[in-house]
């Protein structure tokens, strides 16, 4: 084990003094942009959740960072800051220092009298999960999370369509002809966080199915605040990729994405129910996919969980896990055994119910 130096600092201070080091670590190893300090700062501000960062150094060089917050109502528990909103979480660390960072993290948690660290949405192939298997630093529990569909963009549009069923090809081609042949239908694309972009998104959400389901952005003040902060940040980082479909100037569908290292990730999308007869959401996404292929992007990541409209395009998914780490301290072991016991009771109860 290599000896690391660590310190715990408030997120704002880290951004002011060490933000560039953190950014460089993310960039060098192509971690998801939702683990960048600016993105996490948007979450922290929108959700009124103070965040601290464990910084890990080797010879005064940053080799790892763990942004986290105290879990409300759970004394002794902390959560990875990405649990608020993030995609494809991982431990932010130079791979060769993964084991050393885990051991230092264990020591820090023992000193802080913490019993558990929880991560949501960790990619199943995350290198630090492999390191956990061979490490004695923690006991841990994994549970299944989302399986996120993604679409490689390595082939041209014609080749991609040829692999679809005749019925699917007909619908896609029909929507393209509608979009190309009806002058009242126009697509507006955004790489800057212009005020009208969020206005259009909110307008569409108010006329979508999400209102009745209570899932529209406007019904959640924290989510509204989150997008108000995130879109300008994405634009300043040249990572915003968004499109809006208009009919006679009225917004009827949107596709809100980030872009990073040749990947476009779909964060949010919806459409106006009044235009359901032309499938405006599908029409817009299909037009975006054609353009992304032309522009040389490598992947469209649908994010979220498996849904039928995503699987029209995807044969591949990224599996995610919820991971809970328990340091091998008295308090950590009690929490670990209690969690295992709860899981056993739950499994036994569900199995018994199934036999009734």
């Amino acid at each position: 084990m290599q000896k690391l130096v660590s310190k715990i600092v408030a997120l704002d201070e880290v951004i002011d003094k060490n933000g560039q080091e953190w950014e460089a670590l993310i960039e060098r190893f192509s971690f998801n942009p939702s683990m960048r300090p600016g993105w996490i700062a948007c979450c922290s501000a929108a959700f009124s959740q103070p965040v601290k960062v464990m910084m890990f150094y080797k010879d005064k060089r940053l080799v790892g960072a763990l942004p986290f917050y105290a879990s409300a109502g759970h004394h002794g528990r902390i959560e990875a800051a990405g649990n608020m909103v993030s995609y494809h979480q991982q431990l932010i660390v130079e791979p060769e220092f993964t084991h050393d960072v885990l051991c230092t993290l264990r020591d820090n948690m023992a000193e802080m009298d913490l019993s558990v660290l929880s991560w949501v949405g960790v990619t199943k192939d995350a290198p630090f999960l492999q390191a956990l298997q061979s490490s004695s630093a923690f006991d841990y529990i994994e549970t299944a999370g989302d399986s996120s569909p993604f679409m490689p963009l390595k082939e041209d549009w014609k080749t991609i369509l040829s692999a679809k069923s005749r019925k699917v090809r007909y619908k896609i081609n029909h929507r393209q002809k509608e979009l190309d042949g009806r002058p009242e239908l126009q697509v507006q694309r955004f790489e800057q966080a212009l005020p009208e972009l969020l206005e259009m998104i909110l307008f569409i959400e108010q006329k979508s199915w999400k209102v009745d389901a209570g899932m529209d952005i406007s019904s959640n003040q924290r989510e509204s605040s989150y997008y108000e902060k995130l879109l300008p940040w994405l634009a300043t980082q040249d990572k915003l990729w968004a499109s809006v479909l208009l009919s006679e100037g009225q917004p009827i569908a949107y596709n809100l994405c980030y872009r990073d290292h040749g990947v476009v990730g779909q964060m949010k999308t919806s459409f106006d129910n009044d235009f359901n007869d032309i499938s405006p959401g599908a029409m817009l996404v299909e037009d975006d996919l054609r353009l992304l292929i032309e522009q040389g992007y490598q992947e469209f990541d649908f994010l979220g969980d498996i849904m039928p409209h995503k699987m029209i395009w995807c044969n591949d998914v990224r599996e995610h896990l919820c991971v809970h780490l328990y340091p091998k301290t008295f308090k950590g072991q009690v929490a670990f055994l209690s969690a295992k016991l709860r899981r056993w009771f739950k499994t036994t109860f569900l199995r018994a119910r199934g036999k009734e």
Side-chain angles (χ1 to χ4, degrees):
M1 173 180 170
Q2 301 186 60
K3 182 65 177 177
L4 301 182
V5 174
S6 69
K7 61 181 181 180
I8 299 175
V9 187
L11 177 61
D12 291 345
E13 184 178 342
V14 172
I15 291 175
D16 290 341
K17 297 181 179 179
N18 308 95
Q20 291 183 344
E21 290 182 285
W22 184 347
E23 289 280 358
L25 196 58
I26 295 287
E27 190 69 24
R28 193 155 69 249
F29 297 100
S30 300
F31 291 113
N32 190 270
S34 60
M35 290 185 280
R36 291 179 180 266
W39 194 312
I40 292 173
C42 292
C43 295
S44 176
F47 295 102
S48 301
Q49 180 62 69
V51 171
K52 295 183 178 180
V53 187
M54 285 189 199
M55 312 287 285
F56 303 92
Y57 291 89
K58 173 64 177 175
D59 299 329
K60 298 183 178 180
R61 179 170 62 87
L62 184 70
V63 297
L66 173 63
F68 69 95
Y69 60 91
S71 181
H74 295 85
H75 180 69
R77 173 175 173 170
I78 58 174
E79 301 199 30
N83 289 4
M84 287 183 279
V85 181
S86 71
Y87 310 103
H88 313 317
Q89 279 209 84
Q90 296 195 41
L91 177 62
I92 304 168
V93 62
E94 289 191 21
E96 67 176 287
F97 294 101
T98 302
H99 175 73
D100 307 306
V101 165
L102 286 173
C103 290
T104 307
L105 170 60
R106 172 203 59 200
D107 295 342
N108 288 347
M109 290 183 67
E111 290 179 13
M112 298 165 68
D113 198 28
L114 298 173
S115 57
V116 59
L117 163 61
S118 294
W119 252 296
V120 174
V122 178
T123 50
K124 198 172 184 178
D125 60 354
F128 91 90
L129 294 182
Q130 300 170 19
L132 273 177
Q133 295 171 6
S134 58
S135 171
S136 60
F138 291 94
D139 286 314
Y140 64 97
I141 293 175
E142 298 176 350
T143 56
D146 289 345
S147 295
S148 297
F150 67 97
M151 176 185 176
L153 303 179
K154 299 176 182 178
E155 299 173 312
D156 60 59
W157 183 249
K158 185 176 181 180
T159 302
I160 290 172
L161 278 193
S162 68
K164 308 302 176 188
S165 69
R166 182 177 180 180
K167 182 178 180 180
V168 169
R169 287 200 309 271
Y170 171 81
K171 289 183 176 181
I172 294 171
N173 287 328
H174 177 72
R175 284 190 286 265
Q176 183 178 1
K177 290 177 181 177
E178 287 277 286
L179 180 59
D180 294 340
R182 292 174 55 172
E184 73 273 19
L185 295 176
Q186 298 291 327
V187 176
Q188 185 173 350
R189 291 192 166 85
F190 297 83
E191 295 179 3
Q192 298 299 318
L194 300 176
E196 57 261 37
L197 172 59
L198 188 55
E199 291 171 6
M200 289 177 175
I201 288 173
L202 295 178
F203 178 84
I204 293 165
E205 292 252 318
Q206 283 297 302
K207 297 174 74 63
S208 76
W209 61 270
K210 293 184 178 181
V211 173
D212 290 339
M215 295 172 58
D216 60 300
I217 295 174
S218 297
S219 67
N220 187 320
Q221 181 57 45
R222 289 184 172 186
E223 189 174 8
S224 297
S225 177
Y226 169 66
Y227 285 109
E228 287 171 3
K229 292 172 171 57
L230 182 65
L231 298 191
W233 180 82
L234 286 172
T236 61
Q237 302 295 308
D238 196 27
K239 295 188 182 300
L240 178 63
W241 205 98
S243 59
V244 177
L245 177 63
L246 303 105
S247 176
E248 297 181 338
Q250 175 183 321
I252 63 172
Y254 76 88
N255 189 24
L256 177 61
C257 307
Y258 68 77
R259 59 179 178 183
D260 185 64
H261 290 98
V263 175
V264 172
Q266 186 184 58
M267 300 183 293
K268 202 83 172 173
T269 183
S270 197
F271 62 90
D272 183 338
N273 280 341
D274 292 342
F275 292 84
N276 192 45
D277 59 317
I278 63 169
S279 301
M283 181 182 288
L284 181 60
V285 170
E286 290 156 12
D287 193 60
D288 286 346
L289 289 174
R290 284 190 289 268
L291 179 62
L292 292 172
I293 290 169
E294 292 174 6
Q295 292 181 343
Y297 284 89
Q298 300 164 16
E299 180 187 305
F300 189 81
D301 191 343
F302 283 90
L303 304 175
D305 210 354
I306 291 175
M307 297 180 73
H309 72 274
K310 301 176 184 179
M311 299 313 295
I312 291 173
W313 298 103
C314 302
N315 297 315
D316 302 299
V317 298
R318 287 191 179 89
E319 296 183 23
H320 297 87
L321 299 169
C322 299
V323 183
H324 309 281
L325 306 187
Y326 303 86
K328 293 188 175 180
T329 59
F330 176 76
K331 192 170 183 177
Q333 290 293 282
V334 170
F336 175 63
L337 293 174
S338 297
K340 290 198 73 173
L341 191 59
R342 286 194 301 272
R343 291 188 71 194
W344 180 83
F345 273 120
K346 183 177 180 181
T347 302
T348 303
F349 175 75
L350 291 175
R351 188 181 297 122
R353 286 290 299 272
K355 293 180 180 179
E356 291 179 358

